[in-house]
Structure formats: C-alpha cells, structure tokens
Amino acid sequence: MSTSGKGSEPLSSCGCFDFGRMVRWVSPPRLKRDSSLKMTRCHSESLHDSLSCVVQPSADGAALTGGLMEDTTARWRSVMVELGQSGLYVAAEMKKVPMGVGRTVMARFYRDRTWDRTLLVLLIVLKVFAAHSSMVPGTLELQLDEEQPAGTVVGDISAGLPPGVTAALYFISDHEGTGVGTDLDIDESTGIIKTAKVLDREVRDHYNFIAVTMTGVTVEVTIVVNDINDHAPTFPRKRATFKIPEQTTIGTKFPLDPALDADKDQLATQGYIITDGNVGQAFLLETRRGSNQVLYLDLVVNAVLDRERRSSYTLLLEAFDGGSPKKTGQMILDVTVQDINDNAPVFNQSRYHTMISENLQPGNNILQVFASDADEGDNGLVLYEINRRQSDPDHYFVIDSRTGVITLNKPLDYELRRVHELVVQARDNATHPEVTNAFVTIHVRDYNDNQPTMTIIFLSEDGSPRISEGAQPGQYVARISVTDPDYGEYANVNVSLEGGDGKFALTTKDNIIYLICVDEILDREERDQYELRVMATDSGTPPLQAESSFTIQVTDVNDNPPLFDQQEYTQVIPEVIFPGSFVLQVTARDKDQGPNGEVQYSILQNLETHSGWFSIDAVTGIITTLTQLDYEMDPAPSLIVVATDRGRPPLSATAVVKVILQDINDNEPVFESKFYNASLKENTAAGTCFMEVRPRFLFPQRPGLFLGLTAWRLMMAFKLSSLFVVDNSRLIKPERLVKEIDFDTPVSRGHFGE
C-alpha cells in the first residue's frame, strides 16, 4: 500500500497497528486547530497488511512518517487517530525506543542521524470505541468470596466474548483508583484473571474494567467480591453507664449506641439480647433498622423502677449477626436508678405525749421527735418545724430543725393553758418537698383548782372552722384536746357538743382527744353555716365547766347546674334587620356560689337550623343577629343556647330559642328564560295552547315558592296583542290564540315580553 501527496513518496511496511479500515492521523490535542501539518490518508488492504501514513512537514519542521513521528521543536506525547470517517477517535501516545528496534523505510531518510526513534502505541478509548463499534460488546460477571489467598483464579475474559470469537491478546483498561491494577493479576495473553492479593470486601466490593481484543471486540468485566462473615458486631464501648429516674413510665425508651458490623446484609448485626443482670425483667430491648442499614437499639423500661428497692442494674448486652455460626459482641451497661422524691418522711410514732411542770425554765428540752425518709440526698434530708398556723402561735416552744428536739421557749402559765397541742411538720429538702405531720400533746402540771380547758384545732386546709358541703359522714371537722390539772394526767372530764341540728357528732377514744365529725350529709344551698358549742365539765364538787362556741362555715361544691327561666323561648322579628340587632335575652341561674355559680352562655352551632345567623353575649345572655336573615331560606330558624357554670368540672343546661321571621316583599318574579320562540301553522284554531312559560324556582330548597308572582301580562310587538292572550287561571300560564292567523297577512311574527 502506498500514499501520495505533495512532498511525499510511497512507503512500505511501517509497523503501525492495523484495524483493517481507512484511518486518518490527526494532530495531537495540544496542537492548534490551524496547525500547518497536512494529513495524508492511507489504507490497509487487509488485516495483516502494514499501515503506512505520511504527515507532511510544516514550516516548524514536524514530521510523521510510517507511523513514527518526531517534532524537532517539542516531543509529542499523544495524538488522536480517527477510524475511517466515523468520528471515532483512538488515543495514541509516544514512547521512546532504542535504536535498531522497529526499523522501517524511515531508516533511509535518517540512516546517518543518531536521534531517538519513537514507537507509537495506541491506547484505545474503550467506552467511545464501544459506542461506535459495529459489534455488540460482550459482558462478563464474575464473583468470588473475600479473604481468598493471592493467586486465586477468578475467571477467564474469553468467557465474555461473543460466540465464535477468540483472542490471543487483550488490551486492559486500568484507571487509577479502580484497584484493577493493584488487586488483580490479569494475563493479557490468556485472559485469565487471578487475585494479586487477599481481597477485602469491606475495602472494595467490586471491580470493573474493559478488555479489548486486537480485532476491536470489547468485553465489559465486572467482578463482585462476596461478603463472608469475617466481622463480629462491635459496640462503640465495652462498658457504658446509663442513668434512669425511678418511677419512669413503663414503655419509656432510651436510645443506646448500636453495635456496628462491617459485613453486610444478613451477615450484619441482626439483633440484641440481655444475657445477664436483668433482675425482675426490668428492661427489654427494641430494635429498628435505619435507612443506613444500621440496627439501632433502644433500652425499654419494662417494670416499675424503685431506687429504694434496687438502686442499680448491671446488664450484659449481646449483639449477634446472621452468620452460621453467629458472631457476637458484648457490652456491659451499668444502669443507675436515679432517686426522685417519691417518699415522704415517716415519724416513728404518729402522736407524742409528755407532761412538764409549770415552773420549768425556758431552754430546757421537752422531748424529741424523729422521722426518716427512704430517699437519698436532699430528697432524704428531714427538716422539722412547728406549724404555727395550726398550733403554738405564741411560740411557747421551738424545735431544732435538724435534730427534732423540742425546747421550752418562754415561761408557761398553767392557768392560761394546761395542754399545748403542737403540729410538728417533717419535710424533706427536695425542690418540691413532701410533708408529714405528727401531733405533740404537752400537758402542764399544776396543783391549783382550775376548770377544764379545751384546745380546738380545725382540720381545714387553712385551719379555719369550715367544711365542704361534699364532706361525707365520718369526715373530721375539728380536733379537741381536753385537760384538767386538778385530776392529773388522766382528767375525769365529760365533753359534750351542742348545736348543729344533728349534722355533727363528737367522738373520742381516750377521753382526752375528741374529734368533731360530720354525721349527716350537708347542703350549702339549704344552710351555709352552723353554730356549735363544745362544753367540758370536770367531776369536782361543784363541777367546773369550760365551753367554746364557734361557727362552722359550709363551703360550696359545684353540685347544681344552671337552670333557665324557660326551657323554650319564642321571638318574632322582621326578615330584614341589620346585623347586631337585638332578638331577645335568656336567663339562667345557678344555686352555687363563687365560680360554681357564675353562668356563661353560648350557642350550640347547627347548620341545619341556621343558628349561625345569631350570636349571644356570654355574660348577659342577650341574643343578637350576626348576619342578614332570609325568610325564603328559613322562615323559622332555631338555636340551642347552652348555659355553663365555671365549676370544676363545669355543669351546664340548655334551652331552645325559636325565631319566627316576618316575610317582606324583597324578591321579584324571574322567568326560566328571558326569550321564548314558537312556530305556528297558518289557520291554527283559536284557543290552541302553543307555548308554556314558567317562573324559575327562586329557592331550590323550597320548590314551588314564587313570592310576589300574582298576575301575568302579555306585551306584544308589531301590534299583535289582538292575536294572543295569557291564561291567568293557573300558576304556570299557557298562552293561547284568540283568533286564527293568516300567514299572508303582513304580520306573521311577533315576540312576547313580560
């Protein structure tokens, strides 16, 4: 084969690669598009013929001959080759070779020169070639397990060639970073693929490359590295600490750090179990699979946690994968049950008694109370104080807040008070403290003759003489201590109760402490207070008596609903009134007092009754119009008014308000059509009905209602009124002929109007 052109001559074999088709050398990418190099096409006669090409030299001295080229000003590193005229370009790069290798006819031009010859090696751009090749590329998918020793055979590239195609040499695409060149050993002559080292799926799970034969057939090779169970689930920490407050609601979840497994799918983490330390099954585990395939873990409270019974748990958690055999990972979870203030202080006795002499000097200790709290820290630190609101307002006694020792604070006067009743409070030091009361009775000993004395402590929240009307029989109202120093510690005193109309009773167990309690059901609406008198009489001669009178107030509970003056109200109003106009006022009353007796009004909304046309003042009960009323839409709208008190819980009652609207003439008649057409035959008999006109239903919800439609009137154009008439005897009126029509008359058409 030869090529010819200006300044060129036929060349023989040049050692170029042969693709059996027309080729054209193209200037390298780094040369400008207007390079002065001239390209000469050359053709290979057959697959085995040598390819010869000539690039004519330009002014800068570049020359390419017989597939070898040299630039006297700069060494080319790459060129592009176009296969035929298809636009398919193949990359080529320059490679220096020693003298004497690959000699061609170029030797006769440079026989006496010692310049470096270059060998042009074509690197095929595989993806572009595959897109333009006439032959469908082959594909080959291979698999092998990870951790196989180096040299393990993966497969043979020839298995991916099309049927009937063989190859003795492959060009392998190897891009940096794909791992093909470092991890695989590919024999380019045989196509056998082996591992170059032990493969790790967790480092790289697949390999892709393209192999090209000398004839241009491509094979896309994909190697998938299969996972094996070579990793166990691993928790981020071997031991972790977790704090959970006691009394935490059962079912509460606390997220834990999940165990991670480098394997995938079924060989990754599949579940968690508690293998040890779960006393009383206090906890359980729940899992959820995240979008990242990590199996997340929640610790769930499964039983009531009580720090006072058990303050900590040491749980051994185990994560397992889906391998066979399974691989596991463990973590120790130390769960500390945090204290909450769920225990109140407890006195070692509920009532304390002592007797002291009237002449005891201030500063002397009288007795010590003691209370313990099962909580810890500030929640379990007990502090003592005397409730001055309910006892010892004169500060005869003081108490040490830490030790509970009660000390006399000022001189006693037996004649003024022989028994001192103290209400001692023990409270813990929490932010929201728990409080427990104990009673301390201190008797003052005297040998003088004195009448009995009584100490009354009212058991209401504020210590005042009152009781709720909802109190049940047996509920305590007041506590009475009775003493008489003339009879020593065990005074022989008779205590009685007067007044109260049988609603209250007196009870005692030791003739020293008496309790006033409710004996019958109370009703504040019937009576809101009772006068009581307590009398204590000793057994002396003559007997001495002490008495105390007080008034018990009965407090209200919300036991009465509001009551309307009427269960049904009716009001007649015109159809057309402005929004905000007065309709009527409803009134409801509640026998209770305070918030329990305050009534508020509202309207129960109902679209069917058009209650939305009205509004009500929540305080006064005045009903006004909210929007424009429409008799034609609803001549008798109604609404349900609700009266609700402000008790807890609130009570309510309802009343019905019926509003009757007076109609006014606010709508005109409307025809179904504004224009009617009719055709009549000549000589139609008079009285023949040829057209029927209808009014439009003004209100679809009330068909047949035509307000203001009282008569019909016929208006004729072209003086036809003598030919037609409207029958007014029915609601829907036909038009009838009065006399025959002659088509030959000048007037043969007419139109009608209302």
Side-chain angles (χ1 to χ4, degrees):
M1 182 184 67
S2 65
T3 61
S4 63
K6 185 178 180 180
S8 64
E9 62 182 74
L11 299 176
S12 60
S13 175
C14 63
C16 293
F17 290 113
D18 183 2
F19 288 91
R21 63 181 71 185
M22 184 74 71
V23 298
R24 178 160 54 98
W25 293 100
V26 184
S27 59
R30 69 193 198 92
L31 291 181
K32 294 184 178 179
R33 197 172 186 81
D34 59 353
S35 171
S36 59
L37 287 177
K38 298 179 180 179
M39 306 300 168
T40 303
R41 293 185 177 180
C42 53
H43 184 266
S44 175
E45 298 297 337
S46 67
L47 183 63
H48 299 291
D49 286 343
S50 298
L51 177 65
S52 301
C53 344
V54 173
V55 178
Q56 289 194 357
S58 61
D60 59 3
L64 174 62
T65 311
L68 303 178
M69 64 181 176
E70 179 184 20
D71 185 351
T72 58
T73 59
R75 297 292 184 179
W76 289 352
R77 291 302 177 189
S78 63
V79 297
M80 294 293 292
V81 179
E82 181 184 20
L83 300 182
Q85 299 183 27
S86 63
L88 174 59
Y89 290 89
V90 180
E93 69 176 9
M94 299 299 297
K95 193 172 188 182
K96 292 184 179 180
V97 298
M99 288 287 292
V101 178
R103 291 184 180 272
T104 66
V105 293
M106 291 179 61
R108 65 182 176 176
F109 297 109
Y110 301 105
R111 183 177 298 116
D112 299 327
R113 298 178 60 181
T114 57
W115 62 292
D116 290 342
R117 290 185 174 86
T118 59
L119 176 64
L120 182 63
V121 180
L122 299 180
L123 302 177
I124 301 174
V125 181
L126 296 173
K127 289 190 177 180
V128 178
F129 185 84
H132 293 76
S133 176
S134 61
M135 181 171 292
V136 177
T139 59
L140 178 61
E141 294 185 0
L142 302 173
Q143 297 184 16
L144 82 160
D145 292 341
E146 62 175 330
E147 304 296 338
Q148 299 298 316
T152 300
V153 175
V154 181
D156 188 347
I157 297 176
S158 62
L161 293 174
V165 177
T166 60
L169 182 64
Y170 297 92
F171 293 99
I172 306 299
S173 69
D174 179 13
H175 301 291
E176 184 178 354
T178 63
V180 173
T182 58
D183 298 354
L184 301 177
D185 182 8
I186 305 173
D187 190 323
E188 297 180 355
S189 299
T190 64
I192 298 300
I193 307 170
K194 298 180 181 179
T195 59
K197 64 177 184 179
V198 176
L199 303 185
D200 188 349
R201 186 204 64 83
E202 286 70 40
V203 175
R204 188 182 302 277
D205 60 358
H206 71 282
Y207 299 85
N208 292 303
F209 64 87
I210 299 177
V212 183
T213 68
M214 290 293 294
T215 60
V217 178
T218 64
V219 179
E220 297 182 7
V221 181
T222 300
I223 300 174
V224 177
V225 182
N226 294 329
D227 189 28
I228 65 173
N229 194 21
D230 57 340
H231 294 86
T234 304
F235 286 95
R237 292 176 291 176
K238 290 294 184 182
R239 191 168 196 135
T241 300
F242 209 81
K243 295 181 179 180
I244 301 177
E246 62 176 329
Q247 304 300 328
T248 297
T249 303
I250 294 177
T252 302
K253 300 179 181 180
F254 298 92
L256 302 177
D257 292 334
L260 303 180
D261 193 323
D263 296 322
K264 67 175 184 178
D265 299 331
Q266 190 64 26
L267 300 180
T269 304
Q270 297 299 314
Y272 302 90
I273 57 174
I274 303 175
T275 60
D276 192 23
N278 193 13
V279 179
Q281 299 301 308
F283 304 96
L284 54 84
L285 302 178
E286 287 188 4
T287 60
R288 63 189 186 282
R289 184 74 67 180
S291 59
N292 57 357
Q293 299 306 310
V294 174
L295 188 65
Y296 290 97
L297 172 65
D298 290 331
L299 181 68
V300 183
V301 176
N302 191 47
V304 176
L305 302 180
D306 189 346
R307 188 205 62 83
E308 287 72 39
R309 292 186 177 182
R310 190 175 189 87
S311 61
S312 65
Y313 297 82
T314 300
L315 306 179
L316 181 59
L317 306 186
E318 181 176 280
F320 57 87
D321 60 21
S324 181
K326 296 180 180 180
K327 290 184 179 294
T328 61
Q330 287 80 29
M331 178 182 72
I332 297 175
L333 182 63
D334 295 315
V335 179
T336 300
V337 181
Q338 293 179 309
D339 183 50
I340 64 172
N341 193 27
D342 58 340
N343 291 280
V346 178
F347 282 96
N348 59 353
Q349 57 187 87
S350 60
R351 185 181 301 278
Y352 298 83
H353 293 276
T354 188
M355 180 174 289
I356 60 176
S357 175
E358 179 184 10
N359 60 355
L360 185 66
Q361 295 300 309
N364 284 292
N365 296 336
I366 299 175
L367 60 84
Q368 181 180 19
V369 296
F370 177 78
S372 59
D373 193 317
D375 295 320
E376 66 178 358
D378 285 343
N379 295 336
L381 177 60
V382 179
L383 302 176
Y384 304 93
E385 65 176 343
I386 297 174
N387 188 333
R388 302 295 179 181
R389 188 178 61 182
Q390 294 185 346
S391 64
D392 195 26
D394 298 324
H395 291 256
Y396 281 102
F397 306 94
V398 293
I399 188 170
D400 189 293
S401 62
R402 296 280 182 169
T403 64
V405 174
I406 299 176
T407 304
L408 183 63
N409 188 47
K410 65 182 186 179
L412 301 174
D413 188 343
Y414 177 83
E415 283 70 30
L416 293 178
R417 181 172 296 177
R418 290 171 287 179
V419 177
H420 294 266
E421 292 287 346
L422 305 182
V423 179
V424 177
Q425 290 183 338
R427 68 175 66 233
D428 53 40
N429 200 34
T431 303
H432 301 287
E434 296 285 344
V435 180
T436 303
N437 293 333
F439 297 100
V440 178
T441 302
I442 302 174
H443 297 273
V444 180
R445 184 183 296 110
D446 189 16
Y447 296 100
N448 296 326
D449 186 15
N450 293 285
Q451 64 183 17
T453 60
M454 293 182 296
T455 301
I456 302 176
I457 299 176
F458 297 101
L459 303 180
S460 61
E461 292 183 358
D462 59 359
S464 62
R466 60 190 179 93
I467 186 69
S468 170
E469 67 173 323
Q472 297 299 310
Q475 184 170 333
Y476 296 128
V477 179
R479 176 180 179 275
I480 304 172
S481 298
V482 180
T483 60
D484 190 339
D486 291 340
Y487 291 88
E489 184 176 358
Y490 302 100
N492 186 11
V493 179
N494 179 41
V495 180
S496 60
L497 176 66
E498 295 181 356
D501 294 340
K503 299 291 185 179
F504 301 92
L506 189 67
T507 181
T508 183
K509 292 182 179 180
D510 54 10
N511 293 325
I512 298 175
I513 303 300
Y514 291 82
L515 294 171
I516 299 176
C517 62
V518 177
D519 197 41
E520 294 182 3
I521 295 296
L522 303 175
D523 187 352
R524 189 204 62 81
E525 288 72 35
E526 179 181 321
R527 185 171 179 178
D528 61 357
Q529 64 181 22
Y530 293 88
E531 296 290 338
L532 299 181
R533 185 174 65 166
V534 179
M535 295 180 296
T537 305
D538 62 23
S539 56
T541 303
L544 298 178
Q545 180 176 290
E547 66 177 47
S548 177
S549 298
F550 50 88
T551 301
I552 296 292
Q553 298 290 335
V554 181
T555 60
D556 185 49
V557 296
N558 192 26
D559 56 346
N560 290 279
L563 294 177
F564 281 95
D565 293 345
Q566 302 174 220
Q567 287 300 308
E568 183 175 303
Y569 296 81
T570 302
Q571 181 71 357
V572 180
I573 60 176
E575 172 187 9
V576 179
I577 58 176
F578 292 105
S581 299
F582 175 84
V583 179
L584 80 158
Q585 182 177 13
V586 297
T587 303
R589 295 174 175 81
D590 195 316
K591 294 181 181 180
D592 295 320
Q593 66 178 181
N596 296 336
E598 296 179 7
V599 179
Q600 292 183 327
Y601 302 93
S602 62
I603 295 176
L604 188 63
Q605 295 299 322
N606 188 337
L607 296 177
E608 295 181 356
T609 63
H610 298 97
S611 60
W613 289 356
F614 306 92
S615 65
I616 189 170
D617 188 287
V619 177
T620 64
I622 294 176
I623 299 174
T624 57
T625 59
L626 185 61
T627 61
Q628 184 67 47
L629 309 180
D630 194 338
Y631 173 89
E632 288 73 26
M633 183 172 292
D634 189 349
S638 65
L639 52 148
I640 297 177
V641 178
V642 181
T644 307
D645 61 29
R646 296 178 58 192
R648 292 292 183 271
L651 301 177
S652 62
T654 60
V656 177
V657 176
K658 294 183 178 179
V659 180
I660 300 175
L661 301 183
Q662 294 176 331
D663 182 38
I664 65 170
N665 188 19
D666 58 345
N667 294 280
E668 62 183 8
V670 179
F671 281 99
E672 287 185 344
S673 175
K674 291 186 177 181
F675 187 80
Y676 293 82
N677 286 325
S679 298
L680 297 176
K681 292 183 178 181
E682 185 179 14
N683 297 323
T684 299
T688 300
C689 177
F690 67 91
M691 182 184 297
E692 186 177 59
V693 295
R694 296 176 181 271
R696 182 186 304 160
F697 288 159
L698 298 181
F699 307 100
Q701 68 275 21
R702 304 183 63 196
L705 178 63
F706 313 104
L707 298 179
L709 190 61
T710 58
W712 295 80
R713 181 163 56 95
L714 181 65
M715 299 177 62
M716 309 296 293
F718 308 113
K719 299 180 180 180
L720 298 179
S721 59
S722 62
L723 296 179
F724 303 97
V725 67
V726 177
D727 185 355
N728 285 303
S729 63
R730 295 183 298 146
L731 187 60
I732 299 176
K733 311 296 183 181
E735 300 182 16
R736 299 179 180 273
L737 290 175
V738 176
K739 60 183 180 180
E740 294 183 354
I741 297 176
D742 185 355
F743 184 77
D744 297 326
T745 59
V747 179
S748 60
R749 294 182 302 168
H751 86 258
F752 308 90
E754 182 185 359

